[in-house]
Amino acid sequence: MKDSVDLEVTPTVAPVSNNATHAHTHGEHDHHSTESHGHAHTQMMIFGKNTELYFSLICGSLLGIGFGLSFITGISSWIPTSFSIAACCFGGFFTAREALQTIAKGGFEIDFLMLVAAIGAGILGKWQEGALLLFLFSLGHALEHYAMEKARKSISALADLAPKTALLKRDGATVEVKIEQLKAGDLIVVRPNTKIAADGIVIQGNSSVNQAPITGESVPVDKQPVENPDIDLKKADQLEAKYKVFSGSINGNGSLEVMVSRIASDSTISRLVKMVNEAQTQKSPTQQFTDRFQRYFVPAVLILVILLCGAFLVIDEPFSKSFYRAMAVLVAASPCALAISTPSAVLSGVACAAKMGVLIKGGRPLEDLGMLTAIAFDKTGTLTEGKPRLTHVVPMNDVSENDLLKMAVAVEALSDHPLAKAIVRDGKQRLGNVDIPAAENLEAVLGKGIKATLQQESIYVGNLVLFESLGDTPPPPALTTKVRELEAGGNTTMIIRAGNKYAGIIAVMDTPREEAKAALTALKELGIRRMIMLTGDNQQVADAVAKEIGMSEAWGSLLPEEKVAAIRKLGKEEHKVAMVGDGVNDAPAMANSTVGIAMGAAGSDVALETADIALMGDKLQLLPFAIGLSREARRIIKQNLWISLGMVALLIPLTITGLASIGPAVVAHEGSTLVVVLNALRLLAYKQKNR
């Protein structure tokens, strides 16, 4: 058996260049390269891709016929023996092929141990037992590959998401081209109910797009044309989700025109496939332990086998019996199940996570995620929406709410400040189809606010300090009290004055995500002891947001380097700590945490590269799912280790003492290997409870 599962998936999307930053590549796995057993059997395809399985079944059939003939009197003993020898040829073909290829490269693996044991049985004239060994070993191999194909298909399905062709709009007409021919800036037409062929920006049309294959979002996302079609494509990542589409997502009932922002080999789905493939080669701590264990265990077994071969020199038994016992121990001690236990679970876990829109970069973060005791969250864009919203409209002095909003929208429409845009956007939405008069003559006032003319009247918009500085008409105490109250709740306030009359207050705030509270509750139920908000906003704002979403700790006014110091402090206080952020300005803090987790990583180069785990959709509820999956993976890995090590510990003394021969040892040995693989494959069907 192999000590890792090397299931390289060839994307159907354009090829992706290798990322040299990863510590493990396929070339490092000496006897697990693409020429090893996982792929060698494909070089001989007499019966198609299941040739090894058919060879194994032929071996079993010949073994059964030979065994039956051995009970018939009057026929030569060579007849059933010939069937057993033929069975050995079919059963040992792929085992011998693999062993010889590995030895030619200077390597050594478990297949060789099985081959030696079978040859030893043949030398002793035990052809039936040798055939039984090779039959069960080859059947175990074949069924293992068949079972692992299910995990491989879960990953390769990602690559099949992207269509092979796109409708390119050129000179007013559309022409079908291969997606590899698309260039950044090309316009493609996406018809209703078809897959989107490239990452891009919506230029024309409205539709709902099913992004579940990429981001895991269960509800289709509404898309609309970008306001400025001449946008720099390098800034496409920074656009709101409603303007962006991803290759492999499924268009709804509307037609769209999309400007390609990434070539096929650099699309989100292509990079996702590549990183999932790379994740298979990243060894977990448990896998590193099993590798170290085998490094010392296998030579120890070989020494034991050599000593057992010489047992006839010190005890009264023939050499044949000593040699047979040594071969039985060789079979019993081969750590096949141990070798496959962790890689199969890691592969299944990574595949399940990718299917749900979570990219886990290998075994180490998969295992570490399940051991977290504390999680630190960035505030803006992680726990909150990441954009300000109009939260309060407080009219005063007989001014109606609509009139106050009209003043605010008219004046702020002249400004390009992010808060001004939020007021205009949300104000218009509240007002509906009401006509809003145009303001003019915008000017800054003392750096603390703005002034404009609206219907021949001066309108001032600014903070409390502005109006206290003007000195002509100080704000009334009731207004000041209301401002302080709103700011204590985490709002940013703006006072509006028309001439010398205070019209009221408007407030904006980066509001918490709707799912934040439920996600944090789910994390608490999973046993996460501490959840801390880290933000550059002032402590008052941090406390207000934390209170609203039910988070007990909030650390405000932090610079990026102070976030790093906070993560290091948490790391000393807690066993394992994760940092959840957007993968850009939080990258240093992520790098210093046990596990760095990026939110909304779809389409973001930086997020995909810096994080250990990337939540492709901008959804906090994916985090409890990922942690639950990790804990299930850790449970299965532990179960597999107990099964594999327990079987070896049981079989070695039984075979040394002669209580178990090669036949029973093979059945128990190969049976435990299949149990381990099937146990690991349960992860493919993992569903978070109460999700």
Side-chain angles (χ1 to χ4, degrees), residues 232-473:
D232 183 355
L233 292 177
K234 294 179 181 178
K235 297 181 179 179
D237 291 352
Q238 302 170 17
L239 291 173
E240 293 182 53
K242 61 185 177 183
Y243 303 126
K244 297 186 296 184
V245 294
F246 302 114
S247 172
S249 53
I250 304 163
N251 188 25
N253 294 326
S255 291
L256 297 175
E257 282 190 17
V258 174
M259 181 184 292
V260 177
S261 61
R262 296 177 184 273
I263 59 174
S265 61
D266 196 35
S267 69
T268 297
I269 186 63
S270 185
R271 285 179 293 149
L272 181 59
V273 171
K274 173 195 168 192
M275 288 184 176
V276 170
N277 275 322
E278 288 176 344
Q280 297 175 44
T281 71
Q282 308 302 306
K283 294 190 177 183
S284 71
T286 306
Q287 191 173 348
Q288 290 171 354
F289 160 75
T290 58
D291 287 348
R292 288 194 301 270
F293 177 83
Q294 291 178 78
R295 194 177 303 134
Y296 298 103
F297 180 73
V298 172
V301 168
L302 292 176
I303 293 171
L304 176 62
V305 167
I306 292 171
L307 292 175
L308 289 173
C309 284
F312 73 98
L313 298 174
V314 293
I315 59 177
D316 186 19
E317 68 178 16
F319 169 73
S320 60
K321 187 173 182 180
S322 295
F323 186 74
Y324 183 85
R325 183 191 299 112
M327 294 301 101
V329 171
L330 188 63
V331 173
S334 295
C336 300
L338 178 65
I340 202 70
S341 61
T342 305
S344 56
V346 168
L347 174 66
S348 298
V350 168
C352 176
K355 188 168 60 176
M356 298 303 295
V358 180
L359 173 60
I360 301 178
K361 295 185 181 178
R364 184 193 63 77
L366 177 65
E367 288 195 29
D368 284 345
L369 191 62
M371 295 189 288
L372 292 176
T373 57
I375 304 177
F377 294 86
D378 173 48
K379 181 184 78 72
T380 306
T382 301
L383 293 172
T384 63
E385 296 287 351
K387 54 188 177 183
R389 293 192 179 278
L390 182 61
T391 54
H392 295 85
V393 180
V394 185
M396 293 181 171
N397 296 325
D398 300 324
V399 176
S400 70
E401 183 175 315
N402 273 13
D403 286 343
L404 180 61
L405 273 177
K406 286 180 185 178
M407 289 184 207
V409 171
V411 174
E412 296 289 7
L414 301 175
S415 172
D416 59 359
H417 192 279
L419 293 182
K421 291 181 178 179
I423 292 168
V424 172
R425 179 195 65 224
D426 295 347
K428 285 183 176 178
Q429 187 174 358
R430 287 198 186 196
L431 288 168
N433 295 322
V434 175
D435 290 331
I436 300 171
E440 55 187 4
N441 302 326
L442 180 72
E443 59 181 277
V445 182
L446 303 175
K448 302 178 182 67
I450 56 175
K451 173 187 175 184
T453 303
L454 178 64
Q455 296 176 332
Q456 286 76 50
E457 187 172 31
S458 295
I459 306 295
Y460 293 85
V461 180
N463 57 25
L464 190 59
V465 178
L466 167 66
F467 295 98
E468 291 174 341
S469 302
L470 290 176
D472 50 359
T473 307

